[in-house]
Amino acid sequence: MSMMKAQTKNGTVTGVAYDGGTVFRGIPYAAPPVGKLRFAAPKPAKSWEGERSCDSWPADAWRHPFPHNHSKSSADGEHTYSEDCLYLNIWTPARQAGEKLPVMFWLYGGGGSSHDTHIDGAGFTKRGCILVSINYRMGIFDFFGLKELADQDSYGSTGAYGIQDIVFALQWVRDNIEAFGGDPGNVTVFGHSAGAMFTKLLIGCKPARGLFQHAISLSGGGTWDIDYIHTKESKCRLCQELLDRAGWTLEDMMSRNSAEIYEVLQREEKNLDLPHKSMFNTLFLPSMDDWLIKDYYGKILYDGDVDETVDVMCGMLIEEWHNFPCQIPGGIGDYKREFAMASVIAWGRRYVERGIKPVYTYFFERRMPEDGHWMRHGEELPYVFGTMNRYDKPWTDYDYLMSETTMDYWTSFAKTGNPNTPGRPEWNPYTVQQPVTMHFRDEDIICEDISGYEKMDEVVSYLLAHPGMLDDPFPGAVGDCEGPAF
């Protein structure tokens, strides 16, 4: 039966029916991080009397770049931006009384929100899973750090407020998801881009242990990290310099409005001497807080300081070689395809070396139907969520087959930690005996070894020799710093 209301720890919520289930939009999982709670750890949401109607999408978090007077479209209208953003959405299917369903906990990327156009839980709920999508603080309101703020935090944390939000939301799911028919002991964290990097972080984050059992990283690297991560000391020093340039104090940061903070700090940020290690060079990226984030995520994976009980699936796309040249002196030469593939293979190989539970790896190498370009960053998401009908593209029967197969794999993995689904190509984990990857190609979907040739092995070996941030030249690029496009 479909449920139209649920009793959370804070009060009763009512949702909106859709074909096959109910969606609850904008449930508060924490108090609004405004006023005295700006640049503070998340606090519990206030309880309410009666029924709270959860029929509207929440405002998106403010983020970089500055969104003033800007909105973007979604399947359900325009997006708005606010610091009051700590809400989540839940899609739950009709179910038998007492049934507990696996939970899929979605983390969007750096330019996203909890209700982007590609996001819909219907494809997951009809396969017997619950989808939770959350908002969390981003940009300046996530990654601003000062020693004064660290001194006020019970864990000495600063510059990682959005990460604290994510862990807090996982705790909310643990405490409340049974009311929606979910199993708090069977949670899959999955995210794309920055959300995938945070998924990697959570696997090695001790305060998050036990809050989820499976993890899927979509385009978030592997033992290599996409973005530069400052130390706590470096973040605090640079943020203080930023305030000094603006002529501001912490009191100004606590009292001025959101738009002014973004306008002034983004202007002054251009004068900082920041390391050019990321495609988007900004101070407002994650930094070590010595509690949640203790090192580069990829370095933590490489060192094996992870929850070894968590099942892992990870993958990349053909066009994602673009992340590497900004870090590697001299570029990557004509190894573009290899670098695109190598991140997840290195992750799989390192887990094998350390005797950790094998990883399921995948690689999308698909030409898009409108003009034949290779699949770019984020273009796999309509396949993952089954929302291709929201995009005006000449999709083929094979595109729909890819989407159905992807959703089957993802939801099977969420149920058991194993993506295999009856009627779909067999997907084996990456092991010494079978170093295989699920390859989504133009002509078919096949689990095969894509790592067993010299050029690929050169790149994988290079990545494994440089866990975390890449600082040294890649030997294969010598004499060919640009390299041909493939």
Side-chain angles (χ1 to χ4, degrees), residues 42-279:
K43 301 295 189 291
K46 289 184 178 180
S47 297
W48 57 85
E49 299 292 334
E51 296 180 351
R52 182 182 182 117
S53 179
C54 293
D55 58 359
S56 299
W57 299 118
D60 296 350
W62 283 72
R63 81 281 311 280
H64 187 96
F66 175 54
H68 187 51
N69 292 330
H70 169 72
S71 65
K72 61 179 181 178
S73 297
S74 75
D76 297 276
E78 296 297 310
H79 289 231
T80 59
Y81 298 87
S82 174
E83 286 186 72
D84 181 3
C85 62
L86 300 186
Y87 299 85
L88 53 78
N89 316 300
I90 300 175
W91 287 260
T92 186
R95 62 186 179 92
Q96 299 298 316
E99 186 179 9
K100 292 184 180 181
L101 302 176
V103 180
M104 302 184 73
F105 181 95
W106 173 248
L107 299 176
Y108 53 74
S113 82
S114 66
H115 62 288
D116 282 323
T117 303
H118 58 263
I119 297 176
D120 194 322
F124 297 139
T125 58
K126 81 174 186 179
R127 290 169 169 81
C129 293
I130 287 173
L131 176 66
V132 177
S133 70
I134 75 163
N135 279 343
Y136 51 91
R137 280 173 282 184
M138 303 179 70
I140 293 173
F141 296 109
D142 182 352
F143 302 126
F144 182 82
L146 281 182
K147 183 180 183 303
E148 293 169 84
L149 293 170
D151 291 342
Q152 298 170 16
D153 185 85
S154 58
Y155 294 99
S157 174
T158 187
Y161 302 107
I163 310 301
Q164 293 189 52
D165 296 340
I166 292 169
V167 174
F168 201 82
L170 280 167
Q171 293 169 340
W172 188 97
V173 167
R174 176 197 62 196
D175 297 339
N176 291 277
I177 202 64
E178 282 189 78
F180 299 85
D183 182 355
N186 192 9
V187 176
T188 298
V189 174
F190 71 128
H192 172 257
S193 192
M197 297 180 226
F198 299 155
T199 299
K200 285 168 43 179
L201 161 66
L202 292 169
I203 295 170
C205 178
K206 288 182 173 61
R209 292 195 179 177
L211 295 176
F212 63 101
Q213 290 67 47
H214 322 293
I216 306 175
S217 169
L218 296 87
S219 303
T223 59
W224 150 79
D225 283 289
I226 294 172
D227 289 327
Y228 184 84
I229 301 178
H230 285 274
T231 64
K232 181 177 176 179
E233 293 71 24
S234 174
K235 172 61 74 70
C236 290
R237 175 179 57 80
L238 288 166
C239 285
Q240 184 61 59
E241 181 182 340
L242 200 61
L243 289 189
D244 293 343
R245 287 178 178 276
W248 284 7
T249 64
L250 176 57
E251 183 179 348
D252 288 301
M253 288 296 290
M254 297 299 296
S255 60
R256 294 177 184 267
N257 67 49
S258 310
E260 185 180 10
I261 287 174
Y262 260 88
E263 185 174 28
V264 172
L265 265 59
Q266 285 187 156
R267 182 183 68 232
E268 297 299 336
E269 183 188 28
K270 297 174 184 177
N271 299 314
L272 295 179
D273 183 20
L274 298 176
H276 290 266
K277 289 290 185 180
S278 305
M279 287 186 69

Side-chain angles (χ1 to χ4, degrees), residues 329-351:
I332 61 176
D334 63 349
Y335 286 71
K336 294 181 175 64
R337 186 168 182 267
E338 288 75 21
F339 269 95
M341 291 180 170
S343 296
V344 295
I345 295 171
W347 188 347
R349 192 175 292 182
R350 185 58 179 169
Y351 262 36

